Amino acid sequence: MHPRRYISALLGILIFSLLQVSVTGYGSGAPDSACTTMTPGHVNGQTGVALSPQDGSSNIYTLAASSNSYTPGGTVSVTISGSPFSGVLLQARRPGQTTPIGSFSSVPVNTKLKTCSATDDSVTHSNTNTKPAGTAFIWNAPSNGVGDIEFVATVAKNHDLYWVNIKSSVLTEATELTTPAPSSDVPPRPVDSDTTPGAVGNGKRLKQTLAGVTAAVMTVALLTV
């Protein structure tokens, strides 16, 4: 092959590969830059222009938690419903904040754990294979309560169509109800006044006095006979 044709062929392959990367976006997972903004940074492969997320009013996905509250150290399941999808970035956050809370575990096929601020605090896709609607993820609450939380996600139907900051309902921190321990202060047992030590002593002296009076009366009676 002529050297010029060989070089042209190599350049063609290189350009094609670059275009494929641009069109595919981040096929192996959300980039670190999306950890805070939740924006994947997809770019049009032909124009190089960044692709904007879809308007929230057209959102076709929902996030639903298995409970409206969580227990510190417990788990909650969160499900993405509405339509199949190819890309995802999922976190739990405190409302109005951007730092992920807790961690995820046992992720479904075609997804993987991602570390943004702390180990496994996020979930993203591991490839562009289609994930079915109804895919669920297990979130592990931190052992120390953090107050209210909500789940936040970016979900991509494909490279060009994606929605950011999809939110679940707010989950409140559950408080455990404790049963008061029995009181150790046992009230004094009522005591019959006739059985108190003082009453016993007084009764004994009264009997002795009556016995003495009785003996004196009998003595006087005998003397007067």
Side-chain angles (χ1 to χ4, degrees):
M1 180 182 291
H2 193 278
R4 289 184 178 180
R5 291 183 179 179
Y6 181 75
I7 293 174
S8 297
L10 288 178
L11 287 175
I13 294 173
L14 177 61
I15 292 172
F16 178 79
S17 299
L18 290 174
L19 288 176
Q20 284 297 102
V21 170
S22 297
V23 170
T24 303
Y26 296 93
S28 60
D32 292 342
S33 59
C35 284
T36 300
T37 65
M38 302 297 290
T39 302
H42 291 180
V43 176
N44 185 297
Q46 295 181 347
T47 65
V49 176
L51 296 171
S52 299
Q54 301 302 300
D55 185 83
S57 61
S58 65
N59 177 36
I60 60 176
Y61 297 103
T62 58
L63 286 181
S66 58
S67 175
N68 57 9
S69 64
Y70 72 92
T71 301
T75 60
V76 174
S77 174
V78 56
T79 303
I80 299 177
S81 302
S83 181
F85 58 97
S86 61
V88 63
L89 176 61
L90 174 64
Q91 298 175 346
R93 296 177 171 183
R94 296 195 65 185
Q97 299 188 10
T98 59
T99 302
I101 298 294
S103 64
F104 290 87
S105 60
S106 303
V107 294
V109 64
N110 297 322
T111 65
K112 64 181 181 180
L113 298 169
K114 180 176 177 62
T115 296
C116 283
S117 298
T119 303
D120 301 339
D121 59 6
S122 306
V123 172
T124 188
H125 53 281
S126 58
N127 53 52
T128 57
N129 294 348
T130 300
K131 292 79 176 168
T135 298
F137 304 86
I138 301 299
W139 177 71
N140 307 299
S143 56
N144 295 322
V146 293
D148 294 349
I149 66 101
E150 63 186 0
F151 292 101
V152 183
T154 289
V155 183
K157 185 174 182 62
N158 52 48
H159 175 265
D160 294 344
L161 298 176
Y162 66 92
W163 288 261
V164 301
N165 290 318
I166 303 170
K167 297 181 179 181
S168 71
S169 299
V170 173
L171 280 67
T172 59
E173 179 186 343
T175 55
E176 296 184 1
L177 298 177
T178 57
T179 303
S183 174
S184 59
D185 298 331
V186 180
R189 176 183 174 184
V191 180
D192 189 342
S193 59
D194 291 340
T195 62
T196 61
V200 172
N202 292 337
K204 183 176 182 180
R205 286 193 293 272
L206 179 60
K207 290 180 180 180
Q208 291 175 344
T209 302
L210 291 175
V213 171
T214 301
V217 171
M218 292 181 64
T219 301
V220 171
L222 290 173
L223 292 175
T224 56
V225 173

